[in-house]
Amino acid sequence: PEEAGRGPEKTGRAPEKAGPGPDGAGRGPQEVGRGPERVVAGALAELAAVVRPSGPGTPTSATDTAAGAHLAAYALGAGQGFVLGVAAPRRDPGDHTIASVAAVLLSLLTGEQQSGSGAARSSALVRLLLGAEPRAVAPLLGADRWLVVHGRPDSQPCDPVAASALGAALGSPLVDLAQDVVRVLAPADREPVPQPGWTLGVSAPASAEEWPAADTQAARALSRARATRTPLFRHGTHRPALTDLLSPDAAESHARALLAPLTPPLTETLRTWLSLHGSWDRTAVALSVHRNTVRQRIARCATLLGTDLDDPDVRMELWFALRQGEG
């Protein structure tokens, strides 16, 4: 695509699809704008190969430079092998946003036409609305294991285009925009990576029947990411602990009895507060409430539980109990 005005042209090299051919693309790259130099074209083709689906951990975007040109490659759709490549003489602040929107539109075009995924998603939605179980319709979506990703924009409020761009960057068209949080249901074989301008919380891989628990995990991971100013936080990133050696039934029974006096908002506040080492400010940020609200809720927890939350042994026992309810 060309820049508006009299500025230098930008060259879009793609969409291109992996397959037989002299340059590794099925029909060869499709170009828009002034063609790049041979060395730039070769470097862009190599960069496109980096983001093509090839297994777990494949990135969804990549950047590089060659012969003074700024290169970027974006995977399109969910596993169809198409890539959007951009070569530009300079990199302006709005370039990533423009390229992300282009990736969204191209993902819709390539995804719907090449795999019939749109019809499959519609069929899955209709079956859910008519009472089918999630595990019965999940095969229509094309993956066995899934990740739930919660994303929150770092600056301006989110809109449908930005939400779709996030989904495209994560390799999934299954996007839900709810107020200031975007939820994405993404195949587990594509490892999410931090996205510029977003804070992300990622669940553990889940089957269809585990989607509700994964949604809760992603929400908590996002709260943790925001509180610790981490661009991406994954649920369950901890080493095996002593609690893993205990009977799950006994641990859950103990946790249920210990936390019974607390309401869900108090329980979530206590969990977040303990996970952030008793920081009032970071807990307030994670829960999007005032720090005085956090203080009042924690004081209420101490009263209902009849315990001293300054005691490290008490905190340890409560943290153990709260972990049993994370799903």
Side-chain angles (χ1 to χ4, degrees):
E2 295 185 359
E3 291 185 316
R6 299 175 57 190
E9 293 180 342
K10 294 184 178 180
T11 300
R13 182 181 178 85
E16 54 181 63
K17 186 172 183 179
D23 60 357
R27 294 174 49 196
Q30 307 300 307
E31 297 185 2
V32 176
R34 185 170 56 213
E37 299 177 5
R38 183 182 300 272
V39 63
V40 175
L44 191 56
E46 293 178 1
L47 193 64
V50 172
V51 300
R52 280 200 182 93
S54 59
T58 301
T60 55
S61 64
T63 59
D64 199 357
T65 58
H70 295 273
L71 312 179
Y74 303 84
L76 303 180
Q80 294 303 311
F82 288 97
V83 175
L84 169 65
V86 179
R90 65 175 186 269
R91 183 173 296 154
D92 296 327
D95 287 352
H96 177 75
T97 300
I98 294 172
S100 295
V101 173
V104 171
L105 298 177
L106 290 171
S107 293
L108 293 175
L109 290 173
T110 57
E112 303 293 343
Q113 294 179 4
Q114 295 296 324
S115 66
S117 58
R121 291 197 301 274
S122 296
S123 177
L125 175 60
V126 170
R127 294 188 190 186
L128 284 172
L129 292 174
L130 296 180
E133 294 291 331
R135 63 175 175 270
V137 303
L140 292 172
L141 302 178
D144 296 326
R145 304 283 287 174
W146 297 83
L147 297 172
V148 177
V149 182
H150 281 211
R152 183 162 180 158
D154 295 337
S155 54
Q156 59 189 8
C158 190
D159 56 44
V161 173
S164 297
L166 176 63
L170 296 174
S172 175
L174 302 174
V175 178
D176 173 45
L177 173 58
Q179 295 181 349
D180 55 353
V181 174
V182 177
R183 300 189 300 175
V184 181
L185 187 62
D189 61 354
R190 294 297 297 273
E191 185 71 17
V193 297
Q195 300 296 322
W198 290 89
T199 300
L200 305 179
V202 183
S203 74
S207 58
E209 56 268 24
E210 298 170 330
W211 284 348
D215 186 49
T216 300
Q217 292 173 1
R220 292 173 181 165
L222 176 60
S223 294
R224 180 69 181 229
R226 293 186 64 231
T228 57
R229 294 180 173 83
T230 303
L232 186 150
F233 187 85
R234 292 173 175 80
H235 171 82
T237 53
H238 71 287
R239 295 177 297 177
L242 291 176
T243 54
D244 298 325
L245 304 177
L246 302 178
S247 163
D249 292 339
E252 184 178 354
S253 177
H254 171 75
R256 194 163 44 242
L258 181 62
L259 301 173
L262 304 183
T263 63
L266 291 178
T267 301
E268 187 62 24
T269 300
L270 181 60
R271 174 187 289 108
T272 305
W273 183 72
L274 289 175
S275 73
L276 297 172
H277 311 290
S279 170
W280 307 109
D281 291 331
R282 290 197 293 169
T283 302
V285 170
L287 298 177
S288 298
V289 299
H290 195 276
R291 68 194 306 271
N292 288 342
T293 301
V294 176
R295 287 183 177 274
Q296 293 167 4
R297 290 181 182 178
I298 295 301
R300 182 62 176 161
C301 289
T303 299
L304 292 174
L305 295 174
T307 191
D308 179 11
L309 294 181
D310 290 329
D311 187 330
D313 289 335
V314 170
R315 291 194 184 194
M316 181 179 66
E317 183 179 11
L318 288 172
W319 181 246
F320 165 82
L322 290 164
R323 287 299 301 272
Q324 306 315 303
E326 289 190 349

